[in-house]
Amino acid sequence: MKFPGSVLVSLVLFVAETAAALCLSGAYRAAGDRMWQWLTLLFALLPCALVQLSLVFIHRDVSRDRPLVLLLHLLQLGPIVRCVEVFYIYFRAGRVEEPYVSITKKRQMPKDGYSEEIEKEVGQAEGKLCTHRSAFSRASVIQAFLGSAPQLTLQLYICVLQQEITAARSIFMVLSLLSIVYGALRCNILAIKIKYDDYDISVKPAAYLCIFMWRSFEIATRVTVLVLFSSVLQIWILPVVLVNFFGFFFYPWILFWQSKSPFPENIEKALSRVGTTIVLCLLTFLYAGINMFCWSAVQVKLNDPDLINKSQNWYRLTVYYMLRFIENAFLLLMWYIYKTDVYLYVCAPLLVLQLLISYCMAVLFMLVFYQFCHPCKKLFSSSISEGLLSCFKFLCFICKPPTSTMLTDKAEVKCPENIDEVRSSSKTIDSQKGISHQSVSSNA
């Protein structure tokens, strides 16, 4: 049985970040910065409440008679209780014989075009651990993008305004960045397991390293760009954030309305239509929060029974990174034009170049992951290099100037003369053939 290390990492990051947020909030209160105190508390407690709701929803605690567990979730101690339960199950597994086991069928990765199906016995303890891992993975994603990402942006913004990086604030920002990167990593692994649920997947350390580097460069660059832009143009950061957020929030709903599919009813039997709508809104809310800072490996599809788009769309991936690169470059240009005396001792061109190179490094690690380290790359209908090449050809074809109409007009102007020349040449050829034929007959 696999050691539940992901559960332990999620709990450590959750507890450490929450404790650091409370300590930093107390420091802001002592310094008289009430606004920074309440914002820090808001970005710390809101994801905590959402994490409790997600754990309760996945484990279906409302329909079960577990009042103590529900009370601990209300006290924001749910992850700690769940982690204790996980390790209790893990260390007791194998000591008591289980009454029954379930059999799962998984297919191995294709070798030489052949995929073998294997059967595996899954006991009750292993099934419960699998449920806990899945719950903590989703909780880590919620904590990362609805709490840690806004928190990191806020603390870096305070550092820029105050022109000071304290030890407590730097530790808190490092923890927030680690939490975001870990949440993005779990999001990638979840996407792979959902898309290729029929296969036995094993993720190698090289894949984890590529995802970690990819997400670190991407998220750090994005947060820095937003902070730099907001520090010089405070009002204009609001439309940038709102357009990004609501664009990604309504995108799955627009696709759902265009498909004219029936409203999904199979999410949870105990939920009413209103409850299902709330769950779907929270899901798209999380989806928008992820795409605000990085590429969401999980694409929401509301008309699918699993609510996930399982097809690999290289075109959407290419368009996202091209538009995000253009947006980051534009925001950096605006910062460079309107920068204030706060950045007097900062080499602005070098900083812009470093941020753009960092984003390109993120794209490079992403390409390396999909091309060489993806655990299911043998199942791709086309590699990422082929997909990106076709996308670039398509985009170049769209952006190509309409020179064909000019050539057609020129051809139409020259067409009558060419026709006359062809006709005259054909007549001379026919006359020459007639003369030669007559000479041959006279000689005969």
Side-chain angles (χ1 to χ4, degrees):
M1 190 178 296
K2 187 178 178 181
F3 180 77
S6 61
V7 175
L8 187 61
V9 172
S10 299
L11 179 67
V12 169
L13 288 175
F14 176 80
V15 173
E17 191 177 7
T18 305
L22 294 177
C23 293
L24 193 59
S25 176
Y28 286 140
R29 181 180 180 180
D33 299 327
R34 290 305 180 97
M35 184 175 68
W36 304 138
Q37 174 197 354
W38 289 112
L39 285 176
T40 303
L41 281 177
L42 175 66
F43 292 144
L45 297 180
L46 178 62
C48 284
L50 294 176
V51 165
Q52 313 301 323
L53 287 175
S54 66
L55 292 176
V56 169
F57 178 78
I58 293 174
H59 290 283
R60 296 179 174 86
D61 289 321
V62 177
S63 59
R64 301 163 64 185
D65 189 14
R66 305 186 70 181
L68 179 60
V69 173
L70 291 175
L71 176 61
L72 292 174
H73 275 290
L74 290 175
L75 297 175
Q76 307 300 310
L77 298 176
I80 299 176
V81 176
R82 295 296 183 190
C83 186
V84 172
E85 185 178 353
V86 165
F87 280 95
Y88 177 78
I89 294 172
Y90 176 76
F91 287 114
R92 279 184 58 87
R95 295 183 181 181
V96 181
E97 185 178 357
E98 296 183 353
Y100 63 90
V101 294
S102 59
I103 298 176
T104 60
K105 293 183 179 181
K106 294 286 185 180
R107 299 170 64 183
Q108 292 182 338
M109 287 293 114
K111 294 181 180 179
D112 300 328
Y114 178 74
S115 179
E116 184 181 356
E117 190 176 51
I118 56 175
E119 293 184 354
K120 182 181 178 182
E121 292 184 354
V122 179
Q124 289 182 335
E126 189 172 356
K128 291 179 180 178
L129 287 180
C130 183
T131 304
H132 279 289
R133 289 194 190 96
S134 177
F136 270 92
S137 296
R138 287 161 173 79
S140 297
V141 175
I142 294 173
Q143 173 71 21
F145 292 100
L146 298 184
S148 302
Q151 194 74 264
L152 177 62
T153 307
L154 173 66
Q155 301 306 322
L156 187 59
Y157 180 77
I158 297 172
C159 291
V160 171
L161 289 186
Q162 297 182 354
Q163 301 184 30
E164 181 186 9
I165 302 178
T166 61
R169 199 180 295 151
S170 61
I171 293 173
F172 187 34
M173 288 192 295
V174 170
L175 287 174
S176 298
L177 181 61
L178 288 176
S179 177
I180 303 169
V181 174
Y182 181 73
L185 188 146
R186 298 312 309 175
C187 191
N188 276 93
I189 303 302
L190 275 174
I192 294 171
K193 291 184 177 180
I194 291 174
K195 289 180 181 179
Y196 307 100
D197 186 51
D198 297 335
Y199 290 88
D200 186 19
I201 300 171
S202 60
V203 184
K204 296 181 180 179
Y208 282 111
L209 180 61
C210 280
I211 297 174
F212 184 84
M213 298 301 295
W214 161 25
R215 295 306 193 177
S216 298
F217 280 109
E218 182 180 10
I219 294 167
T221 304
R222 179 63 175 169
V223 171
T224 306
V225 169
L226 291 176
V227 168
L228 290 177
F229 180 78
S230 62
S231 64
V232 296
L233 296 170
Q234 290 89 353
I235 298 176
W236 289 100
I237 190 62
L238 186 61
V240 171
V241 172
L242 291 180
V243 168
N244 273 272
F245 185 83
F246 286 109
F248 286 110
F249 179 82
F250 288 112
Y251 180 70
W253 291 101
I254 293 172
L255 294 180
F256 174 69
W257 290 326
Q258 286 181 347
S259 65
K260 297 180 180 179
S261 302
F263 190 79
E265 302 286 352
N266 56 347
I267 297 177
E268 179 65 36
K269 295 180 180 179
L271 291 177
S272 62
R273 193 180 184 88
V274 177
T276 303
T277 306
I278 294 174
V279 170
L280 293 178
C281 288
L282 290 176
L283 179 63
T284 50
F285 186 84
L286 176 61
Y287 174 75
I290 295 172
N291 282 280
M292 271 285 300
F293 295 94
C294 66
W295 165 254
S296 171
V298 178
Q299 299 299 309
V300 177
K301 189 176 182 181
L302 299 179
N303 57 351
D304 190 270
D306 294 329
L307 302 177
I308 298 298
N309 187 2
K310 297 183 179 180
S311 62
Q312 190 67 45
N313 196 332
W314 302 123
Y315 175 74
R316 188 180 298 174
L317 180 69
T318 306
V319 170
Y320 176 87
Y321 275 100
M322 289 181 64
L323 293 179
R324 186 64 79 197
F325 182 82
I326 294 172
E327 183 193 3
N328 288 339
F330 176 75
L331 295 180
L332 287 174
L333 178 62
M334 292 296 102
W335 168 78
Y336 182 77
I337 294 173
Y338 295 100
K339 64 181 184 294
T340 58
D341 295 337
V342 176
Y343 303 99
L344 186 62
Y345 299 103
V346 176
C347 184
L350 181 60
L351 180 59
V352 171
L353 182 62
Q354 287 176 343
L355 290 172
L356 295 179
I357 291 176
S358 297
Y359 199 79
C360 293
M361 289 295 295
V363 175
L364 177 63
F365 278 107
M366 179 200 68
L367 295 177
V368 171
F369 169 71
Y370 279 109
Q371 185 71 27
F372 302 106
C373 302
H374 197 284
C376 303
K377 61 182 179 180
K378 295 181 180 180
L379 302 176
F380 291 167
S381 58
S382 62
S383 63
I384 189 170
S385 57
E386 297 174 352
L388 292 179
L389 183 60
S390 62
C391 291
F392 282 126
K393 287 181 179 179
F394 178 72
L395 292 174
C396 291
F397 176 76
I398 294 176
C399 300
K400 187 177 180 181
T403 57
S404 58
T405 57
M406 298 173 63
L407 295 175
T408 305
D409 295 337
K410 292 181 180 179
E412 289 178 355
V413 172
K414 294 182 179 180
C415 185
E417 299 177 0
N418 294 335
I419 291 175
D420 293 336
E421 292 176 0
V422 171
R423 286 178 179 176
S424 62
S425 62
S426 62
K427 287 180 180 179
T428 54
I429 292 171
D430 292 338
S431 62
Q432 290 176 1
K433 286 183 178 180
I435 294 170
S436 62
H437 180 69
Q438 291 176 2
S439 62
V440 170
S441 61
S442 64
N443 290 332

